[in-house]
Amino acid sequence: MDLSYSMKDDLENVKNLGTHLMLEMSKITTDFKIGFGSFVEKTVMPYISTTPAKLLNPCTGDQNCTSPFSYKNVLKLTSNGQEFNTLVGQQQISGNLDSPEGGFDAIMQVAVCGEHIGWRNVTRLLVFSTDAGFHFAGDGKLGGIVLPNDGKCHLENDMYTMSHYYDYPSIAHLVQKLSDNNIQTIFAITEEFQPVYMELKNLIPKSAVGTLSANSSNVINLIIDAYNSLSSEVILENSKLPEGVTIMYQSRCKNGVTGEGEMGRKCSNISIGDEVFFIISITAKQCPKMGKPETIKIKPLGFNEEVEITLNFICECDCHKHGIENSEICHNGNGTYECGACRCNEGRIGRQCECSTNEVTSEDLDKSCRKDNGTDICSNNGDCVCGTCECKKRENPEERYSGKFCECDNFNCDRSNNKLCGGHGHCECRVCICDANWTGSACDCSLDTTTCLASNKQICNGRGTCECGTCKCTDPKFQGPSCEICPTCPGVCTEHKECVQCRAFGTGEKKDTCERDCSYFNLIKVKDRGKLPQPGQAFPLMHCKERDANDCWFYYTYAVNNKTEKEVHVVETLDCPAGPDIIPIVAGVVAGIVLIGLALLLIWKLLMIIHDRREFAKFEKEKMNAKWDTQENPIYKSPINKFQNPNYGHKAVVL
């Protein structure tokens, strides 16, 4: 996990990850361990101009942060989720100045330090969580680091000690080490850096990318989803091939899906119990220089199992001493059968000496049987006889290869309902040719619109389109096989009122015919109105409020679910008015209280008017009797002082 300052709120959510993740993973496996490591950045970068005190606490203000570090193995893999919570809870965030982080250093150490991390010989997952980009090989030059990463473990006291000495690893180097150690990577990244890590995912086989929320609150769901995605795909890889040796893959995956070339290496969308097949062809075009056996290892990415193939090259031997001259195997005696092959007589060529050099040259044999230089002879589905492909026969006489290079067949087309071309067409050169009124890659889409006709003889009731014999309603209010059902249209509540009343409460006009007339919907009773379904679900919903003959209200909802089943949720108790003996008393008491209140209000208003008039009259009288003294106050002294220049008005003296 990235422990730079921007991940502060994320750390708070990860602190309780251990026990929660253990609980979720226990639903998948009974043998699960979890560990924790953190990274920030190399601390020698010269463009970080700071003081030693700032390196000890790189955060600003009164924030208490730990000094930056490259990688720290906080907790070795353990089955104790509480220990995870405790140790992670003790971690502090750190900080640095540039945006990219040193996560590649951390990934390399996690991959190669097996004993320190605690990897076992089982499925290995690495969850890489950050909200920033990454430094890679070459960026170390910014800090004066030029030595390439050596891909070895350098953990001492659980700290990476050579970050100042070795450059960041390259992507290719990481791919190699992750593959060698069977580690599958889950990149838990914030949305801002999704495009960057999606490109990285394309370079790292058997990896996944998930969108991390701003505070990492969804990290558990992200890990579970990514794990399910990784475990549903098998990808084969092989070790380095000897010189002159090539390998080809063909896959036979789930639901008849096939692949060749690079696509022949993998099968997707598989689950536990599914069986898939891989056909692997190894071709040696020449003998190795030393003539010694070579070994190829083939394994599925992310798994520990592997197949080891030893190639023994027979380059020279003395079996020709036991050859059979003019053997019948060599086209009626046109060659000598030795060392398991025909050595043709002069003037004859071909695998079984079946061709004459007057008819075709040896250079033309293979060339004319290949579609191009990158394909097999006769597409590996036939034999090249005198420059012409003769396609192989199948055990099933109805299945056959065809085409100039045997590149076509009539049994590898798409299937529907386990039928070739859905039973509505025939297969030609691996493409379905559909019958009339059928289309689609597997001829499983009907063009017949009669199944989409509504009762008004309009296609999909004029409120949708007919696709493959099924209505796709374009008006969200309408549902059903022919877009005729509208749960939220006016009148729906009244239409179903009597049936809801009789089925829920055994009353109403249809109580005697309820079983016959009102069994067309599923009834679900709830305790109160708060338990009724609310708008916003996947299908339209109508809230209804109806009154029965006793002036009691009952509440229910009507909807048609995604399976076109009608559902009614009804509150199990009626909302009835108070009893007849109580109503007059309550009404009388309320009326009396209202009248008394009005009387008191009128009395108060009258008293206030009388009081105001008396006070106003008193004020007018005092104003008339007032005798104001207009003489000047004897102790009053004006604040204004006047001064005059004594020379003002006199002529100036001439000196």
Side-chain angles (χ1 to χ4, degrees):
M1 180 179 175
D2 177 3
L3 282 191
S4 58
Y5 188 79
S6 58
M7 296 285 285
K8 181 180 179 181
D9 54 346
D10 303 75
L11 179 61
E12 295 301 319
N13 285 307
V14 175
K15 287 180 179 180
N16 296 319
L17 175 65
T19 51
H20 294 168
L21 185 57
M22 297 286 284
L23 179 63
E24 291 298 322
M25 289 299 292
S26 65
K27 302 174 184 177
I28 301 174
T29 175
T30 57
D31 189 9
F32 171 72
K33 290 190 175 184
I34 183 174
F36 186 81
S38 58
F39 67 90
V40 182
E41 181 59 279
K42 295 180 184 294
T43 58
V44 298
M45 310 303 278
Y47 51 81
I48 300 180
S49 177
T50 185
T51 63
K54 191 64 178 175
L55 283 176
L56 292 176
N57 184 7
C59 297
T60 59
D62 57 352
Q63 296 289 336
N64 186 21
C65 298
T66 187
S67 58
F69 54 89
S70 182
Y71 170 67
K72 176 167 58 177
N73 183 30
V74 177
L75 175 64
K76 190 174 182 179
L77 285 164
T78 177
S79 56
N80 188 342
Q82 188 58 47
E83 183 182 6
F84 178 96
N85 292 351
T86 301
L87 283 177
V88 175
Q90 297 171 359
Q91 301 307 301
Q92 288 181 296
I93 50 91
S94 183
N96 66 317
L97 295 183
D98 64 332
S99 176
E101 310 294 1
F104 278 14
D105 273 344
I107 294 178
M108 178 61 76
Q109 293 304 300
V110 170
V112 299
C113 297
E115 293 184 2
H116 294 271
I117 303 301
W119 291 122
R120 298 177 296 157
N121 195 24
V122 293
T123 301
R124 300 172 176 181
L125 298 177
L126 169 61
V127 181
F128 183 85
S129 174
T130 183
D131 63 350
F134 48 80
H135 285 295
F136 53 90
D139 287 355
K141 293 180 181 179
L142 297 171
I145 303 174
V146 295
L147 285 178
N149 194 286
D150 64 350
K152 295 181 181 179
C153 182
H154 297 288
L155 288 185
E156 294 183 12
N157 296 324
D158 290 324
M159 295 289 291
Y160 178 38
T161 59
M162 302 298 284
S163 66
H164 65 288
Y165 191 75
Y166 288 118
D167 192 7
Y168 302 98
S170 66
I171 295 175
H173 202 178
L174 280 182
V175 171
Q176 176 195 345
K177 292 301 180 181
L178 290 171
S179 175
D180 291 345
N181 293 280
N182 300 315
I183 295 174
Q184 303 175 60
T185 310
I186 300 172
F187 293 105
I189 309 300
T190 53
E191 186 173 3
E192 178 185 359
F193 286 91
Q194 281 287 305
V196 176
Y197 284 89
M198 287 301 294
E199 292 296 327
L200 183 62
K201 170 186 175 297
N202 295 332
L203 300 174
I204 301 180
K206 205 64 175 174
S207 62
V209 175
T211 303
L212 193 67
S213 63
N215 59 1
S216 296
S217 58
N218 67 330
V219 66
I220 292 183
N221 292 335
L222 187 152
I223 292 173
I224 298 300
D225 292 343
Y227 171 79
N228 291 331
S229 174
L230 291 173
S231 61
S232 66
E233 185 175 56
V234 174
I235 304 175
L236 296 187
E237 69 165 1
N238 53 266
S239 59
K240 184 179 179 181
L241 297 174
E243 185 178 356
V245 175
T246 59
I247 187 169
M248 289 192 63
Y249 293 87
Q250 287 182 312
S251 60
R252 298 287 184 268
C253 305
K254 190 176 178 181
N255 298 325
V257 177
T258 61
E260 293 183 353
E262 285 301 310
M263 296 304 297
R265 290 176 176 266
K266 65 180 181 179
C267 283
S268 303
N269 299 321
I270 59 177
S271 54
I272 295 175
D274 292 337
E275 198 172 56
V276 297
F277 299 89
F278 293 93
I279 302 170
I280 303 171
S281 304
I282 301 175
T283 304
K285 297 183 179 180
Q286 64 187 48
C287 285
K289 294 178 180 179
M290 302 299 293
K292 61 180 182 180
E294 297 282 356
T295 300
I296 301 174
K297 293 182 179 180
I298 302 174
K299 68 174 184 178
L301 288 173
F303 296 90
N304 297 317
E305 293 82 359
E306 64 182 17
V307 174
E308 188 175 284
I309 302 171
T310 302
L311 304 179
N312 293 296
F313 299 88
I314 304 175
C315 300
E316 295 181 4
C317 55
D318 58 358
C319 59
H320 60 277
K321 296 178 181 179
H322 307 287
I324 303 174
E325 295 183 358
N326 302 321
S327 171
E328 289 295 321
I329 298 176
C330 301
H331 200 267
N332 301 322
N334 286 321
T336 301
Y337 186 71
E338 60 184 27
C339 301
C342 289
R343 180 167 55 83
C344 299
N345 297 335
E346 187 177 353
R348 306 293 297 187
I349 57 175
R351 293 184 180 181
Q352 296 178 332
C353 309
E354 67 273 18
C355 301
S356 170
T357 54
N358 296 328
E359 300 172 355
V360 64
T361 63
S362 59
E363 291 81 7
D364 293 334
L365 288 179
D366 288 351
K367 183 177 180 181
S368 58
C369 290
R370 295 179 187 269
K371 191 173 183 180
D372 53 58
N373 291 335
T375 57
D376 293 329
I377 295 175
C378 299
S379 305
N380 204 28
N381 295 324
D383 299 314
C384 186
V385 180
C386 298
T388 303
C389 287
E390 290 186 2
C391 299
K392 296 177 182 178
K393 304 294 183 183
R394 301 274 298 179
E395 293 183 6
N396 186 345
E398 295 182 359
E399 298 179 355
R400 61 185 179 276
Y401 293 105
S402 60
K404 181 180 178 181
F405 306 102
C406 302
E407 73 277 14
C408 296
D409 63 62
N410 67 342
F411 53 86
N412 267 326
C413 288
D414 290 343
R415 296 174 178 267
S416 178
N417 294 327
N418 206 26
K419 293 180 180 180
L420 192 67
C421 298
H424 303 296
H426 60 280
C427 182
E428 291 184 8
C429 201
R430 302 185 179 182
V431 177
C432 284
I433 307 299
C434 300
D435 298 338
N437 288 331
W438 291 92
T439 187
S441 62
C443 300
D444 54 352
C445 180
S446 174
L447 298 177
D448 185 9
T449 60
T450 56
T451 56
C452 295
L453 290 177
S455 57
N456 58 6
K457 303 303 180 183
Q458 286 186 322
I459 293 178
C460 300
N461 194 31
R463 302 181 182 277
T465 58
C466 188
E467 298 179 11
C468 299
T470 303
C471 281
K472 301 294 182 182
C473 303
T474 55
D475 189 333
K477 293 193 301 182
F478 287 82
Q479 301 178 20
S482 54
C483 303
E484 292 183 283
I485 301 173
C486 180
T488 60
C489 291
V492 168
C493 293
T494 305
E495 179 183 352
H496 303 289
K497 169 186 174 182
E498 297 297 337
C499 281
V500 173
Q501 186 178 353
C502 78
R503 287 192 57 184
F505 309 107
T507 60
E509 297 179 2
K510 292 189 176 182
K511 64 179 182 180
D512 297 328
T513 60
C514 194
E515 185 175 351
R516 183 191 68 191
D517 298 339
C518 300
S519 59
Y520 59 89
F521 58 82
N522 299 325
L523 183 71
I524 302 100
K525 292 185 177 182
V526 298
K527 290 187 176 297
D528 52 60
R529 293 170 64 182
K531 303 293 184 181
L532 290 173
Q534 300 301 316
Q537 56 189 19
F539 42 84
L541 180 75
M542 174 64 86
H543 275 263
C544 300
K545 174 184 177 182
E546 297 292 338
R547 185 160 53 185
D548 62 12
N550 297 323
D551 286 334
C552 293
W553 294 96
F554 58 95
Y555 303 89
Y556 64 94
T557 62
Y558 177 81
V560 180
N561 63 24
N562 293 331
K563 299 179 181 179
T564 68
E565 298 173 342
K566 299 177 179 64
E567 288 185 355
V568 171
H569 289 72
V570 61
V571 179
E572 62 185 7
T573 56
L574 293 168
D575 186 5
C576 296
D581 295 334
I582 299 175
I583 290 176
I585 298 174
V586 173
V589 171
V590 172
I593 293 173
V594 171
L595 290 175
I596 292 173
L598 289 174
L600 292 174
L601 183 62
L602 291 173
I603 293 171
W604 174 81
K605 184 65 175 176
L606 181 61
L607 292 175
M608 290 300 297
I609 291 173
I610 294 172
H611 177 268
D612 289 345
R613 288 182 176 179
R614 286 179 176 176
E615 289 295 322
F616 182 73
K618 182 179 178 182
F619 170 74
E620 288 290 332
K621 183 178 180 181
E622 291 177 350
K623 184 175 71 171
M624 294 297 295
N625 295 332
K627 294 182 179 180
W628 305 105
D629 190 355
T630 58
Q631 296 181 356
E632 188 179 65
N633 190 339
I635 65 174
Y636 172 77
K637 186 176 183 179
S638 174
I640 301 174
N641 292 320
K642 295 181 180 180
F643 300 92
Q644 185 173 350
N645 189 341
N647 291 325
Y648 176 75
H650 298 280
K651 293 183 179 179
V653 179
V654 179
L655 297 178

